[in-house]
């Protein structure tokens, strides 16, 4: 079974994965699976008050998660995909476990083939946060992941630094 197929299978079963992006390794789960989201917080040692970002594979998927205008879409197409997290007004359908009751949602549209294939084959956006333990150094190699995940997708992180956040 390919890495991508295995990662998607785990996500669909409510598991969590570590996967490469163009910035650093991320931890992902189905954004609509509350138990999986809680596991991300626990395994990372992340404060439950801090929101998670959401990784997508298209402008259409962004449109499902955020209230954006045609003007916004034009700007987004210039910026994404790439090493950026955009903070956008969230739709009411987004689980509060992701945004921690914020009116904004952090959107990541990674420019990494493996990340995009995982999201595309899963057919849903995935929660996304860096794979390092909270307060520790960012992770750019699969072998350095300490978080207890169900599967690690091996790959390369081109930029080797976190994404830039744009509000």
């Amino acid at each position: 079974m390919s890495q991508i197929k295995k990662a998607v299978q785990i996500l669909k079963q409510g598991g969590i994965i570590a996967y490469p992006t163009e910035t650093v390794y991320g931890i992902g789960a189905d954004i609509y699976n509350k138990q999986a989201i809680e596991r991300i917080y626990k395994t990372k040692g992340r404060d439950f008050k801090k929101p998670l970002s959401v990784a997508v594979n298209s402008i259409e998927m962004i449109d499902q998660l955020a209230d954006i205008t045609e003007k916004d879409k034009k700007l987004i197409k210039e910026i994404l995909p790439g090493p950026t997290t955009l903070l956008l007004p969230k739709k009411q359908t987004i689980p509060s476990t992701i945004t921690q009751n914020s009116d904004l949602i952090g959107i990541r549209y990674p420019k990494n083939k493996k990340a995009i294939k995982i999201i595309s084959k899963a057919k849903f956006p995935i929660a996304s946060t860096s794979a390092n333990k909270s307060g520790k150094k960012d992770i750019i190699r699969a072998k350095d992941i300490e978080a207890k995940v169900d599967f690690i997708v091996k790959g390369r992180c081109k930029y080797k630094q976190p994404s830039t956040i744009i509000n």
Side-chain angles (χ1 to χ4, degrees):
M1 182 180 300
S2 77
Q3 287 194 92
I4 304 298
K5 209 175 212 177
K6 176 92 172 151
V8 170
Q9 181 182 50
I10 287 167
L11 290 171
K12 287 185 174 184
Q13 292 171 346
I16 62 176
I17 63 167
Y19 64 99
T21 73
E22 78 282 24
T23 55
V24 297
Y25 256 84
I27 298 178
D30 177 350
I31 68 166
Y32 300 106
N33 186 314
K34 188 177 179 184
Q35 288 78 24
I37 298 304
E38 287 173 1
R39 267 189 69 205
I40 287 176
Y41 278 95
K42 288 175 185 166
T43 192
K44 187 174 165 66
R46 186 175 177 88
D47 183 341
F48 275 91
K49 293 179 186 127
K50 288 184 170 184
L52 298 175
S53 295
V54 177
V56 301
N57 68 347
S58 65
I59 301 291
E60 292 73 30
M61 198 174 270
I62 294 171
D63 204 22
Q64 294 168 16
L65 302 170
D67 287 318
I68 54 175
T69 65
E70 288 305 314
K71 187 179 173 186
D72 293 337
K73 284 182 194 175
K74 200 173 183 178
L75 181 62
I76 290 166
K77 284 178 185 175
E78 290 176 25
I79 298 170
L80 299 176
T84 305
T85 300
L86 294 181
L87 298 179
L88 300 168
K90 74 167 187 158
K91 291 208 170 164
Q92 293 306 310
T93 54
I94 304 307
S96 61
T97 48
I98 295 290
T99 61
Q100 299 307 324
N101 300 313
S102 170
D103 292 333
L104 300 175
I105 184 169
I107 302 285
R108 275 282 284 127
Y109 181 174
K111 194 171 188 175
N112 177 288
K113 286 179 184 171
K114 287 183 179 179
I116 292 298
K117 281 182 182 176
I118 292 166
I119 299 162
S120 297
K121 291 190 184 299
K123 295 185 172 71
F124 52 77
I126 60 175
S128 183
T129 184
S130 57
N132 58 308
K133 294 277 191 175
S134 286
K136 302 283 185 189
K137 190 176 166 218
D138 290 310
I139 294 175
I140 57 170
R141 298 180 310 193
K143 69 179 187 175
D144 296 330
I145 294 169
E146 296 175 357
K148 301 283 182 254
V149 297
D150 299 309
F151 186 66
I152 298 172
V153 177
K154 291 176 177 52
R156 189 174 158 265
C157 299
K158 180 179 176 182
Y159 298 118
K160 299 174 177 43
Q161 61 185 12
S163 64
T164 301
I165 299 172
I166 298 176
N167 188 345

